[in-house]
Amino acid sequence: MALSACDGPSPHFMGVDPVRVEVDGSVFAVRVKGKLAEAVRTNVQYAPRMGPIGPRAAEAMRQASGCEVREIRGDQALILGILEC
């Protein structure tokens, strides 16, 4: 059975509709709640570590929230951002 990209939220972001944002070939489902943002990478691409994915996720969170991203945490598939609005 083939699996498709999953963009399900973590518990804190349940009930928040995602905004689809593409940055430099990476596609994210971004959810914003208060001063936190979550970017779930939904496309298939080689990314064995956060590396270049982190800055792309931060930019996606900035675009979706309108706020600067002070800090990011997580891994190459699910990134949590702390916003500075």
Side-chain angles (χ1 to χ4, degrees):
M1 180 190 295
L3 296 176
S4 62
C6 177
D7 72 348
S10 61
H12 181 75
F13 293 93
M14 289 285 197
V16 177
D17 290 330
V19 174
R20 183 185 177 279
V21 181
E22 183 174 349
V23 178
D24 295 332
S26 296
V27 181
F28 301 93
V30 180
R31 292 174 175 85
V32 178
K33 186 173 182 183
K35 293 199 178 230
L36 296 177
E38 176 180 77
V40 179
R41 190 169 51 85
T42 61
N43 65 316
V44 177
Q45 68 185 131
Y46 181 70
R49 57 183 174 70
M50 180 95 78
I53 301 299
R56 293 176 191 169
E59 175 58 20
M61 288 183 249
R62 187 194 66 73
Q63 288 181 28
S65 68
C67 301
E68 293 302 314
V69 180
R70 189 177 74 202
E71 183 179 337
I72 59 171
R73 301 176 183 178
D75 60 35
Q76 67 275 26
L78 189 143
I79 300 96
L80 179 70
I82 300 171
L83 304 176
E84 188 169 294
C85 296

